Amino acid sequence: MTKLPKKILVTGFEPFDGDQENASGILLEWLKSKSFNFELRTELLPVSFTTAYPLLNKAIEEFNPTHVILTGLAKNRTELTLERIAINWVDARIPDNDGLTLKSQKIKEGSEDGLFTTLPIERMLNAAKGAGCPTKISTTAGEYVCNHLIYLYLSDYRFVAGTFIHIPGATEHEIFFQGISAILSDLA
Ligand code: PCA
């Protein structure tokens, strides 16, 4: 069997919550300035419950990736975190960038309570740590737009392997971007 050439879709988010920047959006520019031995597509997504997923969906249909790496900012975390699971629940503390606040409700009625991400995150953990990047596995992506996006993606795309990485809110991004770069290069 011939192996598919590696095609990785990496997404990041626009700034939100009054911030001037979002590390995950900056990541996309950083990645585009590097060269890799795989085909890379990046997609900057709005922090919107309504429009982020349709844009991701369009990018997946157009690019037909072998791997999907969704990223977002987790301001209060100090390590790169690899998300293991998305939950079928949304409870926003702040409005999204469209002014919409979804409170205490299921993302998809009649769908599973939780869905595991579909990339080998233990291997990814080792790759990032090998690059000197403080990294750990997380079992909650929160109850906001990031978890909402992962859940919708996982429920529609069981056979396009992907996961979500939260980037800390530190001002120095380089070590975290290096960790993500090591993860992308190591993906089989
Ligand atoms: N982080 C938010 C949404 C956009 C982002 O970068 C979250 O963790 O849900």
Side-chain angles (χ1 to χ4, degrees):
M1 215 168 73
T2 49
K3 212 165 168 294
L4 289 175
K6 206 157 79 165
K7 290 175 77 176
I8 308 181
L9 171 65
V10 182
T11 72
F13 277 108
E14 289 173 352
F16 67 110
D17 197 16
D19 287 351
Q20 293 302 308
E21 58 174 43
N22 183 323
S24 68
I26 299 170
L27 166 74
L28 304 186
E29 296 311 310
W30 187 91
L31 288 173
K32 282 194 273 185
S33 73
K34 309 280 173 211
S35 52
F36 294 104
N37 64 353
F38 54 83
E39 204 181 330
L40 171 74
R41 172 163 168 166
T42 60
E43 199 68 33
L44 183 67
L45 300 174
V47 180
S48 163
F49 288 115
T50 317
T51 58
Y53 183 63
L55 286 169
L56 170 63
N57 194 279
K58 184 166 169 278
I60 294 174
E61 295 302 319
E62 280 173 9
F63 182 56
N64 196 18
T66 53
H67 305 79
V68 176
I69 302 285
L70 311 171
T71 73
L73 171 73
K75 253 190 237 180
N76 300 328
R77 295 187 184 173
T78 53
E79 288 160 293
L80 199 67
T81 46
L82 313 180
E83 301 297 345
R84 192 185 292 284
I85 191 165
I87 56 167
N88 188 6
W89 195 253
V90 61
D91 194 11
R93 185 181 47 81
I94 52 170
D96 71 4
N97 285 355
D98 300 329
L100 179 66
T101 313
L102 295 182
K103 280 287 182 196
S104 295
Q105 58 189 275
K106 285 201 165 181
I107 294 169
K108 248 187 177 178
E109 274 308 329
S111 185
E112 293 94 331
D113 290 337
L115 292 169
F116 285 98
T117 57
T118 49
L119 277 172
I121 51 176
E122 280 79 10
R123 175 178 169 153
M124 293 167 63
L125 177 73
N126 289 335
K129 281 188 167 172
C133 174
T135 310
K136 63 181 190 187
I137 289 172
S138 156
T139 49
T140 173
E143 296 165 300
Y144 191 50
V145 175
C146 291
N147 176 71
H148 189 263
L149 180 76
I150 319 169
Y151 188 88
L152 291 176
Y153 152 70
L154 290 172
S155 70
D156 279 351
Y157 290 99
R158 299 293 165 93
F159 303 108
V160 186
T163 194
F164 194 101
I165 302 177
H166 265 118
I167 304 170
T171 46
E172 184 47 69
H173 306 305
E174 182 73 21
I175 189 66
F176 302 112
F177 293 177
Q178 293 286 0
I180 292 174
S181 172
I183 288 172
L184 299 181
S185 299
D186 182 63
L187 283 173

